[in-house]
Amino acid sequence: MDSKPDFLGGVGQDQLRPELNVESKDGELHLRFFIPSHQEFALPATGIREVIELSPDRMTPIPNVSPLLLGTLNLRGRVIWVADLGQFLGEATALNTDRAEISVIAIEEQDTIVGLAVEEIGGMDWLDVQHLRNPTNVPDTMAPFLKGEWLIDTEIARCLRLLDQMAILRSARWAG
């Protein structure tokens, strides 16, 4: 039998790298990110089509639409709307688009794809949804889009808020 390593780094096709074994972690995989007001949010990885770092000139501004919409983006041959997530959630601080790259999270449900522009991507993390608590001190404009929050730091009351991507995709705010 041939014992040369295969492209996964193991010996033989039936051995997978441990970091790829999704069953071994607690909770579910989530993407963590920040909006311009420095609040941290998460989305379940299962509803994310992809995360893109792109130059602002790759977005086409559309006149006479809601101010929270930054424009459209061609995502692999499909035109999608891109919104400033912070403004969508009711934050006053607008995303700075005068920079080399903007982080966009493309979320998807059935045939609907929307891009959410954020300040910074924090990375992927395993989070246990059983430890979610009801959101506290949440503005009314943000509340309909939250599933809950995790308390990250009790001393400064820092929370990581879990967004409801279905509520975002189905929101009437897209109409402006």
Side-chain angles (χ1 to χ4, degrees):
M1 182 170 152
D2 190 2
S3 64
K4 291 180 186 168
D6 63 15
F7 68 95
L8 291 174
V11 178
Q13 295 181 358
D14 58 345
Q15 294 182 349
L16 294 174
R17 294 193 327 227
E19 64 268 25
L20 297 178
N21 185 359
V22 294
E23 274 70 53
S24 67
K25 302 287 182 185
D26 289 332
E28 299 170 19
L29 194 57
H30 289 78
L31 177 69
R32 293 171 70 158
F33 52 90
F34 296 88
I35 61 173
S37 63
H38 306 292
Q39 291 186 68
E40 188 176 14
F41 292 89
L43 277 167
T46 53
I48 297 173
R49 169 116 179 211
E50 64 186 280
V51 177
I52 315 149
E53 298 284 332
L54 61 100
S55 170
D57 62 4
R58 286 205 33 221
M59 278 189 283
T60 305
I62 306 294
N64 305 318
V65 295
S66 168
L68 65 89
L69 292 169
L70 298 175
T72 59
L73 165 68
N74 184 331
L75 182 66
R76 306 196 193 298
R78 194 159 165 196
V79 176
I80 65 167
W81 287 97
V82 177
D84 177 336
L85 179 59
Q87 288 197 314
F88 181 89
L89 295 173
E91 291 292 302
T93 309
L95 182 71
N96 175 14
T97 57
D98 187 19
R99 57 188 188 181
E101 288 191 327
I102 296 174
S103 299
V104 176
I105 303 165
I107 59 172
E108 176 178 41
E109 189 241 336
Q110 294 177 353
D111 286 338
T112 306
I113 303 174
V114 172
L116 305 174
V118 299
E119 183 67 27
E120 179 185 346
I121 300 295
M124 301 295 286
D125 210 350
W126 294 93
L127 302 168
D128 193 340
V129 292
Q130 293 181 0
H131 293 117
L132 272 177
R133 66 178 197 178
N134 286 331
T136 55
N137 301 321
V138 176
D140 291 342
T141 55
M142 189 182 294
F145 305 106
L146 295 178
K147 284 187 176 180
E149 67 187 15
W150 292 278
L151 187 59
I152 301 295
D153 187 336
T154 53
E155 289 183 26
I156 58 171
R158 195 177 118 221
C159 296
L160 170 61
R161 294 185 167 143
L162 178 61
L163 290 174
D164 182 345
Q165 65 208 36
M166 301 298 277
I168 292 171
L169 286 166
R170 295 176 179 166
S171 172
R173 287 189 194 169
W174 294 112

